[in-house]
Amino acid sequence: QVQLVESGGGLVQAGDSLRLSCGVSGRTFSYSAMGWFRQAPGKEREFVSAISPDGGKRLSANSVKGRFTISRDNAKNTVYLLMNSLKPEDTAIYYCAATAGRTSTSVYSSEHEYNYWGQGTQVTVSS
């Protein structure tokens, strides 16, 4: 059984930083393309950032480019999302997702590509 467990969310002020972590068990992490998505109250879930199985390719939403950085440590079966210069509009539940990459450089921004999801971690940014 595949499990994804997010951690690192919390309440911060605008301009602060947070690092989210997502630990993966039950599948070969190094073959998994990983993604972060978020859902704000009253809104649909949206793509944030994604990384290929080998870590060499990344995608980010325009709204977070230059502020958020996705990375992974295949030895620790963990993917990270470093969030700098947080804004109130970044407030949301953040979800980690995983799927088998077609190649080692595959990276996906569509939630429909992902088979496995974590339970989410709340990030709240106050102004």
Side-chain angles (χ1 to χ4, degrees), residues 10-16 86-91 123-127:
L11 171 63
V12 297
Q13 293 186 331
D16 285 352
L86 282 161
K87 304 176 181 179
E89 51 264 44
D90 294 318
T91 294
V123 172
T124 303
V125 185
S126 64
S127 57

Side-chain angles (χ1 to χ4, degrees), residues 5-116:
V5 180
E6 302 99 332
S7 61
L11 171 63
V12 297
Q13 293 186 331
D16 285 352
S17 298
L18 274 177
R19 190 179 77 159
L20 305 183
S21 300
C22 174
V24 180
S25 62
R27 69 171 289 116
T28 305
F29 181 75
S30 59
Y31 295 123
S32 299
M34 302 297 298
W36 285 99
F37 293 78
R38 67 186 181 186
Q39 187 167 21
K43 295 187 177 181
E44 293 188 352
R45 188 161 56 189
E46 65 175 2
F47 170 72
V48 175
S49 194
I51 191 166
S52 61
D54 68 356
K57 287 195 174 180
R58 297 175 174 85
L59 290 175
S60 289
N62 289 336
S63 59
V64 305
K65 277 182 181 176
R67 299 189 299 122
F68 291 10
T69 302
I70 190 171
S71 62
R72 64 190 295 156
D73 185 337
N74 285 353
K76 295 183 178 180
N77 286 9
T78 302
V79 63
Y80 305 98
L81 185 67
L82 176 61
M83 306 184 293
N84 294 325
S85 303
L86 282 161
K87 304 176 181 179
E89 51 264 44
D90 294 318
T91 294
I93 299 174
Y94 283 71
Y95 297 93
C96 172
T99 189
R102 297 184 188 92
T103 72
S104 62
T105 58
S106 296
V107 60
Y108 309 105
S109 60
S110 170
E111 64 177 274
H112 301 295
E113 295 279 4
Y114 292 90
N115 304 114
Y116 305 102

